[in-house]
Amino acid sequence: MSERVSEPSARGITHPQGFRAAGLAAGIKVSGRPDLALVVNDGPSDSAAAVFTRNKVKAAPVLWSQQVMTTGTLRAVVLNSGGANACTGPQGFQTAHATAEKAAEMLGVGAIDVAICSTGLIGAQLPRETLLAGVEKAAGALEASPEAGLAAATAIMTTDTRPKEALAVREGWSAGGITKGAGMIAPSMATMLSVLTTDAVASSEVLERALRAAVRVSFDRLDIDGSMSTNDTVIVMASGASGVTPSEEELAAALTEVAKDLARQMQADAEGVTKRATIRVTGAASEDDAVVVARTVARDSLVKTALFGSDPNWGRIAAAAGYADAELDPDRLDVTINGVLLCQGGVAAADREGADLSGEDILVEVALGLGSGEAEILTTDLSHAYVEENSAYSS
Amino acid sequence: MSERVSEPSARGITHPQGFRAAGLAAGIKVSGRPDLALVVNDGPSDSAAAVFTRNKVKAAPVLWSQQVMTTGTLRAVVLNSGGANACTGPQGFQTAHATAEKAAEMLGVGAIDVAICSTGLIGAQLPRETLLAGVEKAAGALEASPEAGLAAATAIMTTDTRPKEALAVREGWSAGGITKGAGMIAPSMATMLSVLTTDAVASSEVLERALRAAVRVSFDRLDIDGSMSTNDTVIVMASGASGVTPSEEELAAALTEVAKDLARQMQADAEGVTKRATIRVTGAASEDDAVVVARTVARDSLVKTALFGSDPNWGRIAAAAGYADAELDPDRLDVTINGVLLCQGGVAAADREGADLSGEDILVEVALGLGSGEAEILTTDLSHAYVEENSAYSS
């Protein structure tokens, strides 16, 4: 059933039928690089669902989009880089509102049909007129071509080194997606924005459940530095243009495939990264416990610097697992790094030098021996480049 | 009432009457530097209390010391650097037990009167015979002199650059302390060990409550990198030799003064540090909430790298406060850095360049406007030197 289409021309949000996209340089970024994207669902269906940051300090576009998503429908998403529009008060909210109004006017829909996503520096107002002129221009540039999807993926990049697109093709229908970011890429720009599209027929209720199931095991399992943005947003729109109605499970599987692919791309592209690490926890009392242990190990600064130093320091991993808020029996703890069992039953099992961490990919396996709960968290090392990227530039 | 005695010769654990100490090179460290300390309470009282790491992976000396502390009494503490004796199984526990037996034999007390503290690499066995020979030698070198207290403080150093002692003198009695460590100093050696002494008369119940009160606002408010060691231990012993019985409040205040002084010294000496930061949260719904917000800001990698870059990036501070698990109203959030109000009511209040972060000390004030809860967390920046220290050496 699952078929990956790898040609760049076939990837992304415009592969599913019923979607058009545009991406261009509106002049929000002083660098003149692309900074505005528009994704439109031409239907026939306008089902949509979204997941937003749980940060209590929410950017204006998040507050706006949460409101419009209460209807479970959406016709378009406007996304901009070059400014987060967070901590900007009523003026910032008015900018988000005006952006939706402009897009709605251009598309002949209501402002309530338009979601907004922003990414960039926190605390600065967006240049409203520049933004609105950009929306007008983008509406005139909409296309269903692969190039248009790629242009949208490119316009939401901050310090990403490459645009990120993914696609899952099924019999008669498909699901696509674009994304930007991951904590390590850049400070307050750390925001993760993603738009997924599908031409499957799905009610907003089914779409909502399928999206949550997909996000839970993909974006929510990517943890670069533990920081949670004010702007994180994942939106899915279903056009129904294929006429195919997959089961909820089939839909969730396709969205999961796309979201996992995008999460892997974010992990790989995080700037300052020299190692990509997968923290796999098995034998936990529950899946929740497995996630907590894996996340705690993934976030531990001492573990992350050891990964950077190619040091198979299992003691730091055992210590991090030990302070995770989850059930753990220190006498049943096994730690395996890149296939070499270094700690068994909480005690050294082999010379740590036996594990070779010189490559770019590192697999850390923590077995708790308590139950059947398991989970993986994707993370990265903590490198000099991370410190440089996040300290040398005011961002 | 509170009088600081600043001459080095008067500081530390041997100032209170009834205590002797020793510190020497037992040969545990391959470098040949001091690695073994012994602190003895000659009474008349043997009241004691302790606080241990909450890590579920507990080192053998922690497991041993937790057992002996169930009596609420103690005659001596043996401390070693050069090895954590963590993740060492039954053999490691036997080493801790044998160490206590040896000290007890030399001092004419029971093994149950001797606590053990260790710090160093996790996962390696300590050289038992070397350690026991060192204990024998230390027992013969015990003195009540200031130099002996300093020798003990020196013997527990790992990559600390200087020994850490503190003293609070009251009318007729005093409290002293030594400590080592803080997360940033070195990886698995990140352990914080501290021994406090007082010649006040106090029951073990009073001592326990006074110690917990002191630790709660001192060591527990120091957060270098969020990692919790397998070996963290704070022990207080009361000799009663002064004959003075302070109130529980007076005792708690003296222990707090000593512990806060030691915590500041650990913050200042953390290797790789270029900035010392105090995160002060006010106006929280409760003190617990204030601690949670301050700790979350203090641990945020993006905040820490901004501090290293002398960047007054209040947006990162607001974002970190926003994902803390505490009550927060984004429209009431004020952020002040080094006295300059940069964010008021959740919106930019001044040009961020107005705050000068070029100095070594940075005060970040976060006002929540909700209640009267307040707290301070001491932390440091995230620097190139931290990454270097924790990645380049297998430790």
Side-chain angles (χ1 to χ4, degrees), chain A residues 55-56 87 122 187-188 227 300-302 305 309 311 313 315-316 318-319 322 324 326 330 346 352 384 386 388 390-391 394-395, chain B residues 55-56 87 122 187-188 227 300-302 305 309 311 313 315-316 319 322-324 326 330 346 352 384 386 388 390-391 394-395:
Chain A
N55 199 310
K56 285 176 280 291
C87 294
I122 296 176
S188 320
S227 294
D300 188 88
S301 294
L302 300 173
T305 47
D311 176 12
N313 198 326
R316 296 184 188 182
R352 68 178 67 205
H384 282 301
Y386 177 87
E388 189 63 21
N390 289 297
S391 65
S394 180
S395 48
Chain B
N55 199 310
K56 283 176 281 290
C87 293
I122 296 175
S188 322
S227 294
D300 187 89
S301 294
L302 300 174
T305 46
D311 176 11
N313 198 327
R316 296 183 188 182
Y323 74 78
R352 68 178 67 204
H384 283 302
Y386 176 87
E388 189 64 20
N390 290 297
S391 65
S394 180
S395 49

Side-chain angles (χ1 to χ4, degrees), chain A:
Chain A
M1 285 293 287
S2 174
E3 179 200 343
R4 286 285 182 90
V5 179
S6 57
E7 308 85 68
S9 64
R11 295 178 73 89
I13 50 174
T14 48
H15 186 279
Q17 300 172 61
F19 292 95
R20 288 178 298 156
L24 48 78
I28 304 165
K29 283 181 180 167
V30 287
S31 65
R33 283 153 76 178
D35 50 19
L36 188 81
L38 178 60
V39 184
V40 174
N41 176 4
D42 290 318
S45 166
D46 59 359
S47 290
V51 174
F52 299 101
T53 181
R54 293 184 307 278
N55 199 310
K56 285 176 280 291
V57 178
K58 290 177 169 57
V62 170
L63 296 173
W64 170 263
S65 299
Q66 283 184 318
Q67 284 191 11
V68 306
M69 283 310 302
T70 56
T71 61
T73 61
L74 214 54
R75 278 297 174 190
V77 185
V78 178
L79 308 96
N80 76 274
S81 52
N85 196 4
C87 294
T88 47
Q91 187 185 339
F93 189 80
Q94 286 157 16
T95 297
H97 185 178
T99 306
E101 288 283 3
K102 169 60 76 178
E105 176 198 331
M106 301 303 298
L107 299 170
V109 299
I112 200 172
D113 297 316
V114 182
I116 310 289
C117 301
S118 301
T119 179
L121 184 67
I122 296 176
Q125 299 291 338
L126 284 173
R128 195 182 297 175
E129 295 313 315
T130 304
L131 183 59
L132 299 187
V135 171
E136 196 165 330
K137 198 168 154 199
L142 286 166
E143 281 183 25
S145 68
E147 291 74 19
L150 180 62
T154 303
I156 57 174
M157 288 166 61
T158 51
T159 55
D160 305 58
T161 64
R162 45 183 180 273
K164 298 168 185 67
E165 304 181 273
L167 180 65
V169 175
R170 298 293 186 268
E171 291 206 22
W173 65 284
S174 64
I178 58 173
T179 197
K180 63 83 40 183
M184 215 161 206
I185 284 183
S188 320
M189 303 187 213
T191 302
M192 202 218 90
L193 302 181
S194 182
V195 175
L196 308 181
T197 58
T198 180
D199 48 15
V201 177
S203 69
S204 51
E205 291 74 24
V206 166
L207 208 52
E208 169 94 21
R209 287 196 297 269
L211 177 65
R212 292 197 176 275
V215 167
R216 196 176 70 85
V217 296
S218 57
F219 300 127
D220 278 355
R221 300 276 166 96
L222 175 70
D223 197 318
I224 304 300
D225 53 16
S227 294
M228 187 190 294
S229 157
T230 51
N231 292 58
D232 291 334
T233 303
V234 182
I235 292 175
V236 60
M237 296 187 287
S239 69
S242 70
V244 179
T245 307
S247 70
E248 186 173 323
E249 290 66 35
E250 289 170 334
L251 181 62
L255 295 184
T256 300
E257 183 179 327
V258 171
K260 279 193 169 179
D261 189 344
L262 293 174
R264 288 261 174 213
Q265 293 182 50
M266 287 194 285
Q267 178 196 27
D269 194 31
E271 279 189 22
V273 163
T274 75
K275 305 280 187 182
R276 294 179 294 265
T278 299
I279 315 297
R280 178 182 297 161
V281 173
T282 58
S286 66
E287 184 183 348
D288 283 352
D289 267 15
V291 171
V292 167
V293 172
R295 195 181 291 283
T296 304
V297 172
R299 284 185 181 177
D300 188 88
S301 294
L302 300 173
V303 171
K304 292 171 98 75
T305 47
L307 295 178
F308 173 58
S310 300
D311 176 12
N313 198 326
W314 63 265
R316 296 184 188 182
I317 294 164
Y323 72 78
D325 186 19
E327 197 179 326
L328 183 143
D329 178 348
D331 297 328
R332 296 190 193 186
L333 182 66
D334 294 349
V335 179
T336 302
I337 306 181
N338 280 357
V340 182
L341 180 68
L342 295 176
C343 168
Q344 186 166 30
V347 183
D351 188 336
R352 68 178 67 205
E353 302 311 322
D356 178 11
L357 274 63
S358 60
E360 286 183 7
D361 288 287
I362 297 172
L363 174 61
V364 173
E365 295 173 280
V366 178
L368 301 178
L370 298 173
S372 60
E374 54 184 72
E376 280 185 9
I377 292 282
L378 305 182
T379 191
T380 58
D381 58 348
L382 175 52
S383 67
H384 282 301
Y386 177 87
V387 174
E388 189 63 21
E389 180 76 18
N390 289 297
S391 65
Y393 311 103
S394 180
S395 48

Side-chain angles (χ1 to χ4, degrees), chain B residues 59-301:
Chain B
V62 170
L63 295 173
W64 170 264
S65 299
Q66 282 185 318
Q67 284 191 14
V68 304
M69 284 309 303
T70 56
T71 62
T73 60
L74 214 54
R75 278 297 174 190
V77 184
V78 178
L79 307 96
N80 76 274
S81 52
N85 196 4
C87 293
T88 48
Q91 187 184 339
F93 189 82
Q94 285 158 16
T95 297
H97 184 177
T99 306
E101 289 283 2
K102 170 59 75 175
E105 176 198 330
M106 301 303 298
L107 300 169
V109 299
I112 199 171
D113 298 315
V114 182
I116 310 289
C117 301
S118 301
T119 180
L121 183 68
I122 296 175
Q125 298 291 339
L126 284 173
R128 194 182 297 176
E129 295 313 315
T130 305
L131 182 60
L132 298 186
V135 170
E136 196 165 332
K137 199 170 154 198
L142 285 166
E143 282 183 25
S145 67
E147 291 73 21
L150 180 61
T154 303
I156 57 174
M157 289 166 60
T158 51
T159 56
D160 305 57
T161 64
R162 45 184 181 273
K164 298 169 184 67
E165 304 181 274
L167 181 64
V169 175
R170 298 294 187 268
E171 292 207 19
W173 64 284
S174 64
I178 58 173
T179 197
K180 64 82 42 182
M184 214 161 204
I185 285 182
S188 322
M189 303 189 211
T191 302
M192 202 217 88
L193 302 181
S194 181
V195 175
L196 308 181
T197 59
T198 180
D199 49 15
V201 178
S203 69
S204 51
E205 291 73 24
V206 166
L207 209 52
E208 170 95 19
R209 287 196 297 269
L211 178 65
R212 291 197 177 275
V215 168
R216 195 177 70 84
V217 296
S218 57
F219 299 128
D220 277 355
R221 301 275 166 98
L222 176 70
D223 197 318
I224 303 301
D225 53 15
S227 294
M228 187 191 293
S229 158
T230 50
N231 292 57
D232 293 333
T233 303
V234 183
I235 291 174
V236 60
M237 296 187 287
S239 69
S242 70
V244 179
T245 308
S247 71
E248 187 173 323
E249 291 66 34
E250 289 169 333
L251 182 62
L255 295 184
T256 300
E257 183 179 326
V258 170
K260 279 192 169 180
D261 189 344
L262 293 174
R264 289 259 175 214
Q265 292 182 51
M266 286 194 285
Q267 178 195 28
D269 193 33
E271 278 189 23
V273 162
T274 74
K275 306 280 187 182
R276 295 180 294 265
T278 299
I279 314 297
R280 179 181 297 162
V281 173
T282 59
S286 67
E287 183 182 349
D288 282 352
D289 267 16
V291 171
V292 167
V293 172
R295 195 180 291 282
T296 305
V297 172
R299 285 183 181 177
D300 187 89
S301 294

Side-chain angles (χ1 to χ4, degrees), chain B residues 6 9 12 47-48 101 114 147 251 284 299 324 335 341 358 365 382:
Chain B
S6 56
S9 64
S47 291
E101 289 283 2
V114 182
E147 291 73 21
L251 182 62
R299 285 183 181 177
V335 179
L341 180 68
S358 60
E365 294 173 281
L382 175 52

